Amino acid sequence: EVTGVKAPAAEAVQSVIGKIESGDMAGARKEAADIPGIGGELIKTGLEHAEEKRGTLEEILYERIISVRPKLERLLPFMALTAAAAPLLGLLGTVTGMISTFNLITIFGTGDAGNLASGISQALVTTELGLIVAIPSLILHGLLSRMARHTVGDMEQAAVGFINGVIGSRHNDS
């Protein structure tokens, strides 16, 4: 996992719910402790508040999920800025190179192509470098953004499954 944040596996959540349904809260806590990372923390938080009303439990787990979002999305603003700024910097280099070329034309005329080549080369190289940076940044931003949304979605799904299992086990007790 690139971000170090992983949602709990559905099987692990079901195993915890199974322990709750059988009345084995100690076993449920042990199962939750075996779930690694923030996913385990989410389920442990749910267990600590398992007796709360559904709405309260939902809010507590949702708050826990929201606290993970900044960690998942920490690189996204930098990637977006890089993807947006790199072509502009390339364009700046292009304009600078063309200005240099036109200054040389003013001084030497158009007779010597060698003098003009350096300004044109500067213009093309900076444009190329801007695109070389921007394209992978844009792709990486899209991938990281998708991974963050997917992980948050998985955590929300695990939380809903946990809540439904806990609420269902309460109704089965009555």
Side-chain angles (χ1 to χ4, degrees), residues 39-96:
E41 295 296 322
L42 179 72
I43 300 304
K44 282 186 253 181
T45 301
L47 278 173
E48 290 169 16
H49 301 280
E51 299 303 318
E52 300 283 347
K53 292 180 194 170
R54 181 184 189 100
T56 306
L57 184 56
E58 285 175 357
E59 289 298 323
I60 290 168
L61 293 181
Y62 185 65
E63 181 182 344
R64 188 78 173 141
I65 291 168
I66 295 248
S67 71
V68 172
R69 276 190 124 136
K71 184 174 183 179
L72 287 170
E73 297 173 351
R74 71 186 180 278
L75 295 176
L76 293 180
F78 173 75
M79 298 306 300
L81 182 63
T82 302
L88 294 175
L89 290 172
L91 180 61
L92 177 63
T94 300
V95 170
T96 304

Side-chain angles (χ1 to χ4, degrees), residues 83-105:
L88 294 175
L89 290 172
L91 180 61
L92 177 63
T94 300
V95 170
T96 304
M98 294 312 293
I99 290 170
S100 171
T101 301
F102 286 124
N103 283 338
L104 290 174
I105 289 173

Side-chain angles (χ1 to χ4, degrees), residues 15-16 18-34 44 47:
S15 178
V16 171
K19 297 281 186 190
I20 293 170
E21 287 175 346
S22 67
D24 183 8
M25 286 305 282
R29 284 188 187 86
K30 184 181 179 327
E31 292 275 338
D34 291 342
K44 282 186 253 181
L47 278 173

